[in-house]
Amino acid sequence: YLLIRFNNLLLGTEFLQMLLLISGLTMFMAGISANFEFDLKKIIALSTLSQLGLMMSILSMGFYDLAFFHLLTHAMFKALLFMCAGMIIHMMSDNQDIRLMGGLSKYIPLTSLCLNISNLALCGIPFLAGFYSKDLILEMVSMSNLNLVVFYLYYFSTGLTMFYTIRLLMYLMVNEFNLMSIYNLYDEDYIMLKSMIILLFMSVVSGSVLSWLIFSYPYMIYLPFTLKMLVIYVSILGGLMGWIMSKMNLYSLNKFLFTYELSSYLGTMWFMPALFTYGISYKFLKLGQDL
């Protein structure tokens, strides 16, 4: 928000070009890491990181109103998503592993409904909240004369968003009830559902309402048909890949052992926690312990 407020200072500087590259790579890295993750909260947190990379990169291209618009719509469905995830983790008796869940839509239908709709709004399914901001952002990227690296980072990250969403949906809803965790599936928490229904309504409606409210004139977007449909193409392709990957049998899954080092690199956020968090603070903490 501070960068949105101060964006007139930063326009045309070298800092913004560096920020564009870094935030595009952040978006890409978070999308890839969410696909290797088995922790429900971590998947949602990495998807938040991916959307933050999207906001920062569109901000560093100078479209501050689009960044703010995406911030507002993303607040709606991501708050709903975190409420549903916290609800599910609480019902699983504090277990977060999505491999140990399954068939939740049979037991907690309304929470699952809110989770699925907010997840689809995150993907940018047309006419939900995320579609208006995300589609506008990606079309403005297609209109601007940037290089192919930024273009591919944007569109590949959009496909990855659909990928981990479909994967989460398959693990939580479509898998059968596998009894690996001690389930505590009481009836739904109707106190929490009151606010969840309001957020559900907002995450369906708020995209169109805000796009009428905060833009005084519409953005003129003139693209060829293939480029106009490219957002939907990569979403469908990412969803298809997520569905195929979730349907994998054990024989295909064992093939992942061949790329174990690569998967370890991609799944731990490109070794960033080990290098720049623990790697830097370990020496000082060890020194303090010794002292």
Short mmCIF file of all heavy atoms in Angstrom, two decimals, residues 54-116:
data_model
loop_
_atom_site.label_atom_id
_atom_site.label_comp_id
_atom_site.label_asym_id
_atom_site.label_seq_id
_atom_site.Cartn_x
_atom_site.Cartn_y
_atom_site.Cartn_z
N LEU A 54 2.12 -10.81 -8.11
CA LEU A 54 1.33 -10.25 -9.21
C LEU A 54 1.04 -8.78 -8.98
O LEU A 54 1.20 -7.94 -9.87
CB LEU A 54 0.03 -11.05 -9.35
CG LEU A 54 -0.96 -10.63 -10.42
CD1 LEU A 54 -0.35 -10.83 -11.78
CD2 LEU A 54 -2.23 -11.42 -10.30
N MET A 55 0.64 -8.44 -7.74
CA MET A 55 0.33 -7.03 -7.43
C MET A 55 1.58 -6.16 -7.55
O MET A 55 1.53 -5.07 -8.13
CB MET A 55 -0.21 -6.90 -6.00
CG MET A 55 -1.57 -7.46 -5.77
SD MET A 55 -1.93 -7.40 -4.03
CE MET A 55 -2.83 -8.88 -3.80
N MET A 56 2.70 -6.65 -7.03
CA MET A 56 3.92 -5.84 -7.07
C MET A 56 4.40 -5.67 -8.51
O MET A 56 4.90 -4.61 -8.87
CB MET A 56 5.02 -6.50 -6.25
CG MET A 56 4.75 -6.53 -4.79
SD MET A 56 4.57 -4.93 -4.11
CE MET A 56 6.22 -4.34 -4.20
N SER A 57 4.26 -6.71 -9.32
CA SER A 57 4.78 -6.58 -10.69
C SER A 57 3.90 -5.64 -11.52
O SER A 57 4.42 -4.88 -12.33
CB SER A 57 4.88 -7.96 -11.33
OG SER A 57 3.67 -8.64 -11.21
N ILE A 58 2.58 -5.71 -11.31
CA ILE A 58 1.74 -4.77 -12.08
C ILE A 58 1.92 -3.36 -11.54
O ILE A 58 1.83 -2.38 -12.29
CB ILE A 58 0.27 -5.22 -12.06
CG1 ILE A 58 -0.54 -4.50 -13.12
CG2 ILE A 58 -0.39 -4.97 -10.74
CD1 ILE A 58 -0.14 -4.82 -14.50
N LEU A 59 2.27 -3.23 -10.27
CA LEU A 59 2.56 -1.92 -9.70
C LEU A 59 3.85 -1.36 -10.29
O LEU A 59 3.94 -0.17 -10.58
CB LEU A 59 2.69 -2.05 -8.18
CG LEU A 59 3.04 -0.80 -7.39
CD1 LEU A 59 1.89 0.16 -7.47
CD2 LEU A 59 3.31 -1.18 -5.97
N SER A 60 4.83 -2.23 -10.51
CA SER A 60 6.10 -1.73 -11.03
C SER A 60 6.02 -1.47 -12.53
O SER A 60 6.96 -0.93 -13.10
CB SER A 60 7.20 -2.73 -10.74
OG SER A 60 6.88 -3.98 -11.26
N MET A 61 4.91 -1.84 -13.17
CA MET A 61 4.71 -1.40 -14.55
C MET A 61 3.95 -0.08 -14.61
O MET A 61 3.70 0.43 -15.70
CB MET A 61 3.95 -2.46 -15.33
CG MET A 61 4.81 -3.64 -15.68
SD MET A 61 3.85 -5.01 -16.25
CE MET A 61 2.98 -4.29 -17.59
N GLY A 62 3.55 0.44 -13.45
CA GLY A 62 2.94 1.76 -13.42
C GLY A 62 1.44 1.75 -13.29
O GLY A 62 0.84 2.83 -13.24
N PHE A 63 0.81 0.60 -13.24
CA PHE A 63 -0.65 0.56 -13.12
C PHE A 63 -1.01 0.42 -11.64
O PHE A 63 -1.33 -0.66 -11.17
CB PHE A 63 -1.22 -0.61 -13.91
CG PHE A 63 -0.90 -0.57 -15.36
CD1 PHE A 63 -0.03 -1.49 -15.92
CD2 PHE A 63 -1.47 0.40 -16.16
CE1 PHE A 63 0.26 -1.43 -17.26
CE2 PHE A 63 -1.18 0.45 -17.51
CZ PHE A 63 -0.31 -0.47 -18.06
N TYR A 64 -0.95 1.54 -10.92
CA TYR A 64 -1.15 1.45 -9.47
C TYR A 64 -2.61 1.15 -9.14
O TYR A 64 -2.90 0.49 -8.15
CB TYR A 64 -0.71 2.75 -8.80
CG TYR A 64 -1.50 3.95 -9.23
CD1 TYR A 64 -2.59 4.38 -8.48
CD2 TYR A 64 -1.18 4.64 -10.38
CE1 TYR A 64 -3.33 5.46 -8.88
CE2 TYR A 64 -1.91 5.71 -10.79
CZ TYR A 64 -2.99 6.12 -10.04
OH TYR A 64 -3.73 7.18 -10.45
N ASP A 65 -3.56 1.63 -9.98
CA ASP A 65 -4.98 1.40 -9.67
C ASP A 65 -5.34 -0.07 -9.86
O ASP A 65 -6.17 -0.61 -9.13
CB ASP A 65 -5.86 2.31 -10.52
CG ASP A 65 -5.41 2.34 -11.97
OD1 ASP A 65 -4.38 1.73 -12.27
OD2 ASP A 65 -6.08 2.98 -12.79
N LEU A 66 -4.71 -0.72 -10.84
CA LEU A 66 -4.95 -2.16 -11.01
C LEU A 66 -4.40 -2.95 -9.83
O LEU A 66 -5.01 -3.93 -9.41
CB LEU A 66 -4.28 -2.65 -12.30
CG LEU A 66 -4.93 -2.24 -13.59
CD1 LEU A 66 -4.24 -2.91 -14.75
CD2 LEU A 66 -6.38 -2.62 -13.59
N ALA A 67 -3.25 -2.51 -9.31
CA ALA A 67 -2.68 -3.20 -8.15
C ALA A 67 -3.60 -3.07 -6.95
O ALA A 67 -3.84 -4.04 -6.22
CB ALA A 67 -1.30 -2.64 -7.83
N PHE A 68 -4.16 -1.87 -6.75
CA PHE A 68 -5.06 -1.67 -5.62
C PHE A 68 -6.35 -2.45 -5.81
O PHE A 68 -6.89 -3.04 -4.86
CB PHE A 68 -5.36 -0.18 -5.47
CG PHE A 68 -6.13 0.15 -4.23
CD1 PHE A 68 -5.64 -0.22 -3.00
CD2 PHE A 68 -7.33 0.82 -4.30
CE1 PHE A 68 -6.34 0.06 -1.85
CE2 PHE A 68 -8.03 1.11 -3.15
CZ PHE A 68 -7.53 0.73 -1.93
N PHE A 69 -6.85 -2.49 -7.04
CA PHE A 69 -8.06 -3.24 -7.35
C PHE A 69 -7.86 -4.73 -7.06
O PHE A 69 -8.71 -5.39 -6.44
CB PHE A 69 -8.39 -3.00 -8.83
CG PHE A 69 -9.61 -3.70 -9.33
CD1 PHE A 69 -10.71 -3.89 -8.52
CD2 PHE A 69 -9.67 -4.14 -10.64
CE1 PHE A 69 -11.83 -4.53 -8.99
CE2 PHE A 69 -10.79 -4.76 -11.11
CZ PHE A 69 -11.87 -4.97 -10.28
N HIS A 70 -6.71 -5.25 -7.48
CA HIS A 70 -6.45 -6.67 -7.21
C HIS A 70 -6.24 -6.92 -5.72
O HIS A 70 -6.60 -7.98 -5.22
CB HIS A 70 -5.24 -7.15 -8.00
CG HIS A 70 -5.05 -8.62 -7.97
ND1 HIS A 70 -5.97 -9.49 -8.53
CD2 HIS A 70 -4.10 -9.41 -7.44
CE1 HIS A 70 -5.58 -10.72 -8.34
NE2 HIS A 70 -4.44 -10.70 -7.68
N LEU A 71 -5.67 -5.95 -5.03
CA LEU A 71 -5.51 -6.08 -3.57
C LEU A 71 -6.87 -6.22 -2.89
O LEU A 71 -7.06 -7.08 -2.03
CB LEU A 71 -4.78 -4.85 -3.04
CG LEU A 71 -4.55 -4.74 -1.55
CD1 LEU A 71 -3.46 -5.67 -1.12
CD2 LEU A 71 -4.20 -3.33 -1.17
N LEU A 72 -7.84 -5.41 -3.33
CA LEU A 72 -9.16 -5.45 -2.69
C LEU A 72 -9.90 -6.75 -3.01
O LEU A 72 -10.46 -7.38 -2.11
CB LEU A 72 -9.98 -4.24 -3.14
CG LEU A 72 -9.49 -2.89 -2.64
CD1 LEU A 72 -10.38 -1.79 -3.13
CD2 LEU A 72 -9.45 -2.88 -1.14
N THR A 73 -9.92 -7.14 -4.28
CA THR A 73 -10.66 -8.36 -4.61
C THR A 73 -9.98 -9.58 -4.00
O THR A 73 -10.66 -10.50 -3.53
CB THR A 73 -10.76 -8.53 -6.13
OG1 THR A 73 -9.46 -8.42 -6.69
CG2 THR A 73 -11.66 -7.50 -6.72
N HIS A 74 -8.65 -9.58 -3.99
CA HIS A 74 -7.93 -10.71 -3.41
C HIS A 74 -8.17 -10.79 -1.91
O HIS A 74 -8.18 -11.89 -1.35
CB HIS A 74 -6.43 -10.56 -3.70
CG HIS A 74 -5.58 -11.59 -3.06
ND1 HIS A 74 -4.79 -11.32 -1.97
CD2 HIS A 74 -5.40 -12.88 -3.35
CE1 HIS A 74 -4.16 -12.42 -1.62
NE2 HIS A 74 -4.51 -13.38 -2.43
N ALA A 75 -8.37 -9.64 -1.26
CA ALA A 75 -8.67 -9.67 0.17
C ALA A 75 -9.95 -10.43 0.46
O ALA A 75 -10.03 -11.18 1.43
CB ALA A 75 -8.79 -8.25 0.69
N MET A 76 -10.94 -10.28 -0.42
CA MET A 76 -12.23 -10.94 -0.21
C MET A 76 -12.06 -12.45 -0.21
O MET A 76 -12.34 -13.14 0.77
CB MET A 76 -13.23 -10.54 -1.29
CG MET A 76 -13.58 -9.11 -1.30
SD MET A 76 -14.41 -8.63 0.20
CE MET A 76 -14.36 -6.88 0.02
N PHE A 77 -11.60 -13.00 -1.34
CA PHE A 77 -11.64 -14.47 -1.41
C PHE A 77 -10.52 -15.11 -0.61
O PHE A 77 -10.68 -16.24 -0.15
CB PHE A 77 -11.67 -14.97 -2.86
CG PHE A 77 -10.64 -14.43 -3.78
CD1 PHE A 77 -9.35 -14.89 -3.75
CD2 PHE A 77 -10.98 -13.48 -4.72
CE1 PHE A 77 -8.40 -14.41 -4.61
CE2 PHE A 77 -10.02 -13.00 -5.60
CZ PHE A 77 -8.74 -13.47 -5.53
N LYS A 78 -9.42 -14.40 -0.36
CA LYS A 78 -8.38 -15.06 0.42
C LYS A 78 -8.72 -15.09 1.90
O LYS A 78 -8.37 -16.05 2.59
CB LYS A 78 -7.03 -14.35 0.18
CG LYS A 78 -5.83 -15.13 0.64
CD LYS A 78 -5.83 -16.56 0.15
CE LYS A 78 -5.55 -16.68 -1.31
NZ LYS A 78 -4.16 -16.49 -1.61
N ALA A 79 -9.44 -14.07 2.39
CA ALA A 79 -9.93 -14.15 3.77
C ALA A 79 -10.90 -15.30 3.95
O ALA A 79 -10.84 -16.06 4.93
CB ALA A 79 -10.61 -12.83 4.14
N LEU A 80 -11.77 -15.48 2.96
CA LEU A 80 -12.71 -16.60 3.00
C LEU A 80 -11.98 -17.93 2.96
O LEU A 80 -12.32 -18.87 3.69
CB LEU A 80 -13.67 -16.48 1.81
CG LEU A 80 -14.72 -17.57 1.65
CD1 LEU A 80 -15.60 -17.61 2.86
CD2 LEU A 80 -15.54 -17.33 0.43
N LEU A 81 -10.94 -17.98 2.12
CA LEU A 81 -10.16 -19.23 1.99
C LEU A 81 -9.46 -19.57 3.29
O LEU A 81 -9.47 -20.73 3.72
CB LEU A 81 -9.14 -19.02 0.87
CG LEU A 81 -8.52 -20.22 0.21
CD1 LEU A 81 -9.61 -21.12 -0.30
CD2 LEU A 81 -7.68 -19.77 -0.95
N PHE A 82 -8.89 -18.56 3.96
CA PHE A 82 -8.22 -18.84 5.22
C PHE A 82 -9.20 -19.23 6.32
O PHE A 82 -8.90 -20.07 7.15
CB PHE A 82 -7.41 -17.61 5.67
CG PHE A 82 -5.98 -17.66 5.24
CD1 PHE A 82 -5.45 -16.70 4.41
CD2 PHE A 82 -5.17 -18.68 5.67
CE1 PHE A 82 -4.13 -16.75 4.03
CE2 PHE A 82 -3.85 -18.74 5.28
CZ PHE A 82 -3.34 -17.78 4.46
N MET A 83 -10.40 -18.64 6.30
CA MET A 83 -11.40 -19.04 7.29
C MET A 83 -11.82 -20.49 7.09
O MET A 83 -11.94 -21.26 8.05
CB MET A 83 -12.61 -18.11 7.22
CG MET A 83 -12.38 -16.79 7.87
SD MET A 83 -13.80 -15.74 7.77
CE MET A 83 -14.84 -16.45 8.99
N CYS A 84 -12.05 -20.87 5.83
CA CYS A 84 -12.43 -22.26 5.56
C CYS A 84 -11.31 -23.22 5.93
O CYS A 84 -11.56 -24.30 6.48
CB CYS A 84 -12.78 -22.42 4.09
SG CYS A 84 -14.18 -21.47 3.57
N ALA A 85 -10.06 -22.83 5.63
CA ALA A 85 -8.94 -23.72 5.93
C ALA A 85 -8.76 -23.86 7.43
O ALA A 85 -8.50 -24.97 7.92
CB ALA A 85 -7.67 -23.17 5.29
N GLY A 86 -8.93 -22.76 8.18
CA GLY A 86 -8.83 -22.86 9.63
C GLY A 86 -9.93 -23.72 10.23
O GLY A 86 -9.70 -24.50 11.16
N MET A 87 -11.11 -23.59 9.64
CA MET A 87 -12.25 -24.44 10.03
C MET A 87 -11.93 -25.91 9.81
O MET A 87 -12.17 -26.76 10.69
CB MET A 87 -13.42 -24.01 9.14
CG MET A 87 -14.75 -24.31 9.66
SD MET A 87 -15.05 -23.44 11.14
CE MET A 87 -15.85 -24.72 12.02
N ILE A 88 -11.38 -26.22 8.64
CA ILE A 88 -11.07 -27.62 8.31
C ILE A 88 -9.97 -28.15 9.21
O ILE A 88 -10.06 -29.27 9.73
CB ILE A 88 -10.69 -27.72 6.81
CG1 ILE A 88 -11.93 -27.54 5.96
CG2 ILE A 88 -10.05 -29.06 6.50
CD1 ILE A 88 -11.64 -27.41 4.50
N ILE A 89 -8.93 -27.35 9.44
CA ILE A 89 -7.83 -27.79 10.31
C ILE A 89 -8.35 -28.02 11.73
O ILE A 89 -7.97 -28.99 12.39
CB ILE A 89 -6.69 -26.75 10.28
CG1 ILE A 89 -6.00 -26.77 8.93
CG2 ILE A 89 -5.68 -27.01 11.36
CD1 ILE A 89 -4.99 -25.67 8.75
N HIS A 90 -9.26 -27.15 12.17
CA HIS A 90 -9.82 -27.33 13.50
C HIS A 90 -10.63 -28.62 13.59
O HIS A 90 -10.59 -29.34 14.60
CB HIS A 90 -10.70 -26.13 13.85
CG HIS A 90 -11.23 -26.16 15.24
ND1 HIS A 90 -10.40 -26.21 16.33
CD2 HIS A 90 -12.49 -26.18 15.72
CE1 HIS A 90 -11.14 -26.24 17.42
NE2 HIS A 90 -12.41 -26.23 17.07
N MET A 91 -11.36 -28.94 12.51
CA MET A 91 -12.15 -30.17 12.53
C MET A 91 -11.30 -31.42 12.39
O MET A 91 -11.71 -32.50 12.80
CB MET A 91 -13.18 -30.12 11.41
CG MET A 91 -14.30 -29.17 11.66
SD MET A 91 -15.42 -29.17 10.31
CE MET A 91 -16.59 -27.97 10.88
N MET A 92 -10.13 -31.29 11.78
CA MET A 92 -9.23 -32.43 11.67
C MET A 92 -8.44 -32.64 12.96
O MET A 92 -7.41 -33.32 12.91
CB MET A 92 -8.21 -32.20 10.56
CG MET A 92 -8.75 -32.07 9.19
SD MET A 92 -9.44 -33.57 8.62
CE MET A 92 -11.02 -32.97 8.18
N SER A 93 -8.85 -32.04 14.03
CA SER A 93 -8.11 -32.00 15.29
C SER A 93 -6.66 -31.56 15.07
O SER A 93 -5.73 -32.30 15.33
CB SER A 93 -8.19 -33.33 16.05
OG SER A 93 -7.67 -34.37 15.29
N ASP A 94 -6.53 -30.37 14.51
CA ASP A 94 -5.27 -29.66 14.28
C ASP A 94 -4.29 -30.37 13.38
O ASP A 94 -3.09 -30.25 13.54
CB ASP A 94 -4.56 -29.34 15.62
CG ASP A 94 -5.41 -28.45 16.48
OD1 ASP A 94 -6.31 -27.81 15.92
OD2 ASP A 94 -5.17 -28.40 17.68
N ASN A 95 -4.80 -31.10 12.40
CA ASN A 95 -3.93 -31.76 11.44
C ASN A 95 -3.98 -30.98 10.13
O ASN A 95 -5.06 -30.68 9.64
CB ASN A 95 -4.40 -33.20 11.24
CG ASN A 95 -3.47 -33.94 10.35
OD1 ASN A 95 -2.29 -33.62 10.31
ND2 ASN A 95 -3.97 -34.91 9.63
N GLN A 96 -2.81 -30.68 9.58
CA GLN A 96 -2.77 -29.81 8.39
C GLN A 96 -2.42 -30.53 7.11
O GLN A 96 -2.42 -29.92 6.06
CB GLN A 96 -1.76 -28.69 8.60
CG GLN A 96 -2.10 -27.80 9.74
CD GLN A 96 -1.11 -26.70 9.92
OE1 GLN A 96 -0.29 -26.47 9.05
NE2 GLN A 96 -1.17 -26.02 11.04
N ASP A 97 -2.10 -31.82 7.18
CA ASP A 97 -1.62 -32.52 5.99
C ASP A 97 -2.79 -32.83 5.07
O ASP A 97 -3.73 -33.50 5.47
CB ASP A 97 -0.93 -33.82 6.43
CG ASP A 97 0.04 -34.30 5.38
OD1 ASP A 97 -0.20 -34.00 4.20
OD2 ASP A 97 1.01 -34.96 5.74
N ILE A 98 -2.73 -32.36 3.83
CA ILE A 98 -3.86 -32.60 2.94
C ILE A 98 -3.91 -34.05 2.46
O ILE A 98 -4.94 -34.49 1.97
CB ILE A 98 -3.83 -31.67 1.71
CG1 ILE A 98 -2.56 -31.85 0.92
CG2 ILE A 98 -4.00 -30.24 2.11
CD1 ILE A 98 -2.59 -31.16 -0.40
N ARG A 99 -2.81 -34.79 2.62
CA ARG A 99 -2.86 -36.20 2.23
C ARG A 99 -3.73 -37.01 3.18
O ARG A 99 -4.19 -38.08 2.83
CB ARG A 99 -1.45 -36.79 2.23
CG ARG A 99 -0.60 -36.26 1.10
CD ARG A 99 0.82 -36.64 1.28
NE ARG A 99 1.43 -35.97 2.43
CZ ARG A 99 2.72 -36.00 2.68
NH1 ARG A 99 3.52 -36.66 1.88
NH2 ARG A 99 3.23 -35.38 3.72
N LEU A 100 -3.95 -36.49 4.39
CA LEU A 100 -4.72 -37.21 5.38
C LEU A 100 -6.18 -36.78 5.39
O LEU A 100 -6.94 -37.18 6.26
CB LEU A 100 -4.13 -37.02 6.77
CG LEU A 100 -2.63 -37.22 6.90
CD1 LEU A 100 -2.21 -37.12 8.33
CD2 LEU A 100 -2.22 -38.56 6.34
N MET A 101 -6.56 -35.92 4.46
CA MET A 101 -7.95 -35.49 4.38
C MET A 101 -8.56 -36.11 3.14
O MET A 101 -7.90 -36.74 2.33
CB MET A 101 -8.05 -33.98 4.29
CG MET A 101 -7.37 -33.25 5.40
SD MET A 101 -7.38 -31.51 5.12
CE MET A 101 -6.33 -30.98 6.42
N GLY A 102 -9.83 -35.89 2.95
CA GLY A 102 -10.47 -36.38 1.75
C GLY A 102 -11.95 -36.55 1.98
O GLY A 102 -12.39 -36.87 3.07
N GLY A 103 -12.73 -36.30 0.95
CA GLY A 103 -14.16 -36.46 1.05
C GLY A 103 -14.81 -35.49 1.99
O GLY A 103 -15.84 -35.78 2.60
N LEU A 104 -14.23 -34.28 2.13
CA LEU A 104 -14.76 -33.33 3.11
C LEU A 104 -16.11 -32.78 2.70
O LEU A 104 -16.90 -32.38 3.54
CB LEU A 104 -13.79 -32.17 3.29
CG LEU A 104 -12.46 -32.51 3.93
CD1 LEU A 104 -11.65 -31.26 4.09
CD2 LEU A 104 -12.68 -33.14 5.26
N SER A 105 -16.38 -32.75 1.38
CA SER A 105 -17.63 -32.14 0.94
C SER A 105 -18.84 -32.96 1.37
O SER A 105 -19.96 -32.46 1.36
CB SER A 105 -17.62 -32.00 -0.59
OG SER A 105 -17.28 -33.23 -1.16
N LYS A 106 -18.61 -34.21 1.75
CA LYS A 106 -19.71 -35.04 2.25
C LYS A 106 -20.08 -34.67 3.68
O LYS A 106 -21.24 -34.78 4.08
CB LYS A 106 -19.26 -36.50 2.19
CG LYS A 106 -20.34 -37.52 2.39
CD LYS A 106 -19.76 -38.89 2.07
CE LYS A 106 -20.79 -39.98 2.20
NZ LYS A 106 -21.38 -40.04 3.54
N TYR A 107 -19.11 -34.20 4.45
CA TYR A 107 -19.32 -33.98 5.88
C TYR A 107 -19.56 -32.53 6.22
O TYR A 107 -20.37 -32.22 7.09
CB TYR A 107 -18.11 -34.51 6.66
CG TYR A 107 -17.99 -35.99 6.52
CD1 TYR A 107 -17.20 -36.56 5.54
CD2 TYR A 107 -18.72 -36.83 7.36
CE1 TYR A 107 -17.13 -37.92 5.40
CE2 TYR A 107 -18.65 -38.20 7.22
CZ TYR A 107 -17.85 -38.73 6.24
OH TYR A 107 -17.79 -40.08 6.09
N ILE A 108 -18.82 -31.62 5.60
CA ILE A 108 -19.00 -30.20 5.88
C ILE A 108 -19.32 -29.49 4.57
O ILE A 108 -18.46 -28.82 3.98
CB ILE A 108 -17.75 -29.60 6.56
CG1 ILE A 108 -16.48 -30.25 6.02
CG2 ILE A 108 -17.82 -29.76 8.04
CD1 ILE A 108 -15.24 -29.58 6.50
N PRO A 109 -20.56 -29.65 4.06
CA PRO A 109 -20.86 -29.15 2.72
C PRO A 109 -20.74 -27.65 2.56
O PRO A 109 -20.21 -27.17 1.56
CB PRO A 109 -22.29 -29.63 2.48
CG PRO A 109 -22.84 -29.92 3.80
CD PRO A 109 -21.71 -30.35 4.64
N LEU A 110 -21.18 -26.87 3.56
CA LEU A 110 -21.18 -25.42 3.37
C LEU A 110 -19.77 -24.85 3.44
O LEU A 110 -19.42 -23.96 2.67
CB LEU A 110 -22.08 -24.76 4.41
CG LEU A 110 -23.57 -24.91 4.10
CD1 LEU A 110 -24.40 -24.39 5.23
CD2 LEU A 110 -23.91 -24.20 2.82
N THR A 111 -18.96 -25.37 4.37
CA THR A 111 -17.57 -24.93 4.42
C THR A 111 -16.84 -25.29 3.13
O THR A 111 -16.07 -24.49 2.60
CB THR A 111 -16.88 -25.58 5.63
OG1 THR A 111 -17.66 -25.36 6.79
CG2 THR A 111 -15.51 -24.99 5.84
N SER A 112 -17.13 -26.48 2.60
CA SER A 112 -16.50 -26.88 1.35
C SER A 112 -16.96 -26.02 0.19
O SER A 112 -16.18 -25.72 -0.71
CB SER A 112 -16.84 -28.34 1.05
OG SER A 112 -16.48 -29.15 2.11
N LEU A 113 -18.23 -25.62 0.22
CA LEU A 113 -18.75 -24.74 -0.82
C LEU A 113 -18.01 -23.41 -0.82
O LEU A 113 -17.56 -22.93 -1.87
CB LEU A 113 -20.24 -24.51 -0.59
CG LEU A 113 -20.94 -23.47 -1.45
CD1 LEU A 113 -21.64 -24.14 -2.58
CD2 LEU A 113 -21.89 -22.65 -0.64
N CYS A 114 -17.85 -22.83 0.39
CA CYS A 114 -17.13 -21.56 0.49
C CYS A 114 -15.68 -21.72 0.05
O CYS A 114 -15.14 -20.86 -0.65
CB CYS A 114 -17.19 -21.04 1.93
SG CYS A 114 -18.82 -20.58 2.45
N LEU A 115 -15.06 -22.84 0.44
CA LEU A 115 -13.67 -23.08 0.06
C LEU A 115 -13.53 -23.18 -1.45
O LEU A 115 -12.64 -22.58 -2.04
CB LEU A 115 -13.17 -24.36 0.73
CG LEU A 115 -11.71 -24.71 0.46
CD1 LEU A 115 -10.86 -24.15 1.54
CD2 LEU A 115 -11.53 -26.19 0.38
N ASN A 116 -14.44 -23.94 -2.08
CA ASN A 116 -14.33 -24.14 -3.52
C ASN A 116 -14.59 -22.85 -4.29
O ASN A 116 -13.88 -22.57 -5.26
CB ASN A 116 -15.33 -25.20 -3.98
CG ASN A 116 -14.87 -26.58 -3.62
OD1 ASN A 116 -13.68 -26.81 -3.46
ND2 ASN A 116 -15.81 -27.49 -3.47
#
